[in-house]
Amino acid sequence: ELSGWRAVQPAHRPHRGRVRGWRHGRYFDGPYVAAYGAGGGKASVAEMRDAMGIDWTDVREELTEAIPPAYTLHLGRAFLASRMGVAA
């Protein structure tokens, strides 16, 4: 969805445990939560807010579509660097 500029994908930090919830008919417990859907061990609204660093909404549907502020900052820095020569 970018046009005229690129953002380098941030390095992936490997998980240090499982993502909680149902996967392929089997339930897994773990320290991470999935910020999509509802039920089946998915994250609560409070867990999604905490995981993504979002404190301005408590609407599940908004949280499942939100771009976390840390990633927004990453994209903003990449955009500025492409337009203004500002160090990312």
Side-chain angles (χ1 to χ4, degrees):
E1 296 182 13
L2 304 177
S3 178
W5 62 284
R6 297 182 58 87
V8 176
Q9 180 177 342
H12 175 73
R13 290 186 185 157
H15 297 155
R16 295 172 305 279
R18 295 292 312 217
V19 176
R20 186 182 72 215
W22 287 92
R23 304 287 181 277
H24 308 287
R26 188 168 161 211
Y27 183 82
F28 295 94
D29 195 12
Y32 298 99
V33 294
Y36 66 92
K42 300 293 187 303
S44 68
V45 167
E47 289 170 324
M48 283 192 280
R49 287 174 51 145
D50 184 55
M52 294 192 293
I54 292 176
D55 61 4
W56 57 86
T57 185
D58 60 1
V59 178
R60 175 179 291 279
E61 292 76 15
E62 291 177 6
L63 289 163
T64 62
E65 296 291 325
I67 299 173
Y71 194 59
T72 303
L73 179 62
H74 170 74
L75 293 176
R77 286 179 172 161
F79 179 75
L80 288 176
S82 75
R83 294 295 186 254
M84 302 168 62
V86 175

